[in-house]
């Protein structure tokens, strides 16, 4: 899986999950919306149907003036991002 630099940086700034196993610590983060587990290898480009699938979300939507800069990006479940989009 080849992710761009911005996507990797957004992933890396996400909160760590509560795993104790070192492999989990490196591969699991928390969704920026629901705080559920997301898994690095389940990026939407690799595993679009996984319950752990994630992508990058703009905290402040671009349509509302949000910029595509690291502090405005977060890694989230695909499903959480879709629900957020449907609320607009």
């Amino acid at each position: 899986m080849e992710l761009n630099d911005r996507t990797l940086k957004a992933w890396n700034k996400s909160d760590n999950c509560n795993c104790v196993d070192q492999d989990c610590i490196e591969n699991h983060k928390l969704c920026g919306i629901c705080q559920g587990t997301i898994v690095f290898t389940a990026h939407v480009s690799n595993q679009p149907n996984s319950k752990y699938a994630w992508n990058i979300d703009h905290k402040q939507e671009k349509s509302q003036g949000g910029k595509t800069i690291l502090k405005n990006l977060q890694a989230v479940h695909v499903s959480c991002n879709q629900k957020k989009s449907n609320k607009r």
Side-chain angles (χ1 to χ4, degrees), residues 5-63:
D5 187 52
R6 189 177 356 199
T7 300
L8 290 173
K9 286 180 179 178
W11 167 267
N12 287 328
K13 76 174 194 141
S14 299
D15 291 335
N16 290 325
C17 73
N18 299 317
C19 298
V20 293
D21 181 277
Q22 187 61 35
D23 285 336
C24 290
I25 291 169
E26 293 174 5
N27 294 302
H28 296 175
K29 296 284 187 176
L30 296 178
C31 171
I33 294 174
C34 77
Q35 298 301 300
T37 301
I38 53 178
V39 177
F40 184 76
T41 55
H43 184 267
V44 69
S45 65
N46 192 42
Q47 295 182 19
N49 298 318
S50 170
K51 71 179 186 176
Y52 302 108
W54 62 280
N55 60 13
I56 298 301
D57 170 56
H58 287 80
K59 294 177 188 178
Q60 180 183 8
E61 298 302 325
K62 288 171 43 173
S63 63

